Amino acid sequence: MARFLLRRLLVALLVAATVMTVSFLLTRLSGDLAISIAGPNATQQDVELVRRAYGLDRPLWLQYLDWVARALQGDLGESYFFKDRVANLIAERLPITMSLGLVGLCIALAVALPLGILAAVRENTWVDRAVMLVALIGQAMPSFWLGLILMIVLGLRLGWLPISGTGSWQHYVMPGIVLAFSAIPSLMRLTRAGMIDALASDYIRTARAKGLSRLSILVKHALRNAAIPVVSIAAVQLGFMLGGSIVIETVFALHGVGFLAWESISKNDFPVVQAVVLVLALIYVGLTLLADLLNAALDPRLRAA
């Protein structure tokens, strides 16, 4: 197991280094940063002053190494637009994004697990096909479109939920549903496949022969083994949700890290864009490692490796 986790750690470090490099290069390839900082009405002399002040006149490789060295020390730079430390901006907005991701994951599990179990119990029936149809619709539906529909129906017409802001837990319900909708199909399919395999195993037949109740067999025996891959994938799905929160936060005006990224892109605030990409990538890598750790701890084959 230690060898497996070491390999996964090395891959995670490689992914983090790649994300740092790509995010740095993309911001440089998008245009002259000095012109973006100086503004459209700046003279050539102003642009040159900005270029020297921010070190943009140095070779690209030297700028990259300087940024990496500062990032490793926790210094993500200063925002051009907000005039504040980037680390402070992210620390202020990250709890909103994390709360949204956790709400979305809880909703996704609350929907995917029962439907996956139901589809497995009623395999190859109309119930199974209906559940798979729901999974197909969830995978194909654009998140921003679903968000707008929920805002119109639940927010404006029925008035059940607020359509924007972060004042209470109710503000997270609609964006949480939208965020969960993209994760439900994969979790549902994985639960269904795991339950079908578990229900066809020898220990389930033994439990039935002992006269155990159907509910006990499903929950205590079949689901316990089928949930092993689901737990691992749920951690990865949380990383996907956090990374895809930029659209949801923009639609519902949630001032989290995703909304901060959108604001920074529109204002050409490249230090914030680089830092947001890096932080979300590191969170995703950390959650992937957590999923591998859970998988290794729960899977006896990996424990023996």
Side-chain angles (χ1 to χ4, degrees):
M1 184 174 74
R3 195 183 311 168
F4 168 76
L5 293 177
L6 181 59
R7 287 199 303 266
R8 300 301 296 176
L9 179 61
L10 292 176
V11 171
L13 293 176
L14 181 60
V15 170
T18 303
V19 168
M20 291 182 70
T21 304
V22 171
S23 63
F24 178 85
L25 292 177
L26 287 178
T27 55
R28 266 56 182 179
L29 294 174
S30 60
D32 193 335
L33 297 185
I35 296 177
S36 300
I37 298 170
N41 299 323
T43 63
Q44 185 61 32
Q45 184 179 5
D46 295 333
V47 173
E48 291 300 327
L49 288 174
V50 169
R51 185 173 284 111
R52 286 194 296 270
Y54 286 94
L56 299 175
D57 56 338
R58 297 177 299 168
L60 190 62
W61 64 270
L62 189 58
Q63 296 180 45
Y64 172 72
L65 291 179
D66 180 62
W67 179 67
V68 170
R70 288 187 289 108
L72 291 176
Q73 298 173 8
D75 182 8
L76 300 177
E78 184 173 347
S79 169
Y80 300 153
F81 176 73
F82 296 99
K83 304 301 179 183
D84 194 4
R85 305 301 297 175
V86 176
N88 296 337
L89 293 172
I90 294 178
E92 181 183 346
R93 309 268 190 123
L94 188 59
I96 296 176
T97 300
M98 292 299 296
S99 299
L100 176 60
L102 291 173
V103 169
L105 181 62
C106 291
I107 294 175
L109 290 173
V111 174
L113 289 178
L115 289 182
I117 294 172
L118 180 62
V121 172
R122 302 295 183 183
E123 185 183 5
N124 296 327
T125 65
W126 68 269
V127 176
D128 186 17
R129 288 188 287 271
V131 171
M132 290 299 101
L133 178 62
V134 171
L136 179 63
I137 293 174
Q139 200 162 17
M141 186 177 298
S143 58
F144 70 90
W145 183 83
L146 177 61
L148 294 175
I149 294 299
L150 291 180
M151 290 172 70
I152 293 172
V153 176
L154 300 181
L156 297 178
R157 292 192 176 179
L158 299 177
W160 289 352
L161 296 168
I163 61 175
S164 63
T166 57
S168 66
W169 63 269
Q170 295 174 322
H171 289 83
Y172 291 92
V173 175
M174 276 198 291
I177 292 174
V178 176
L179 203 59
F181 222 73
S182 61
I184 287 174
S186 59
L187 294 173
M188 187 189 304
R189 290 193 184 99
L190 196 60
T191 303
R192 175 183 178 274
M195 287 294 294
I196 290 175
D197 290 339
L199 291 173
S201 60
D202 292 336
Y203 65 89
I204 294 296
R205 284 192 287 269
T206 302
R208 287 171 178 160
K210 290 181 177 180
L212 296 180
S213 66
R214 186 180 183 85
L215 181 61
S216 177
I217 293 174
L218 287 176
V219 177
K220 290 185 178 182
H221 298 278
L223 182 59
R224 179 182 297 177
N225 291 275
I228 293 176
V230 176
V231 171
S232 302
I233 294 300
V236 178
Q237 284 294 334
L238 179 58
F240 279 128
M241 290 180 180
L242 297 178
S245 63
I246 180 172
V247 176
I248 308 302
E249 291 181 8
T250 303
V251 171
F252 289 94
L254 298 174
H255 288 206
V257 173
F259 192 80
L260 176 64
W262 179 82
E263 287 180 301
S264 303
I265 292 171
S266 63
K267 302 296 183 183
N268 293 327
D269 198 347
F270 297 112
V272 179
V273 177
Q274 289 177 187
V276 167
V277 172
L278 176 61
V279 169
L280 291 179
L282 290 177
I283 292 175
Y284 176 76
V285 168
L287 290 171
T288 304
L289 287 175
L290 176 62
D292 292 333
L293 183 61
L294 291 173
N295 197 29
L298 296 173
D299 194 332
R301 293 170 298 178
L302 291 176
R303 287 202 304 268

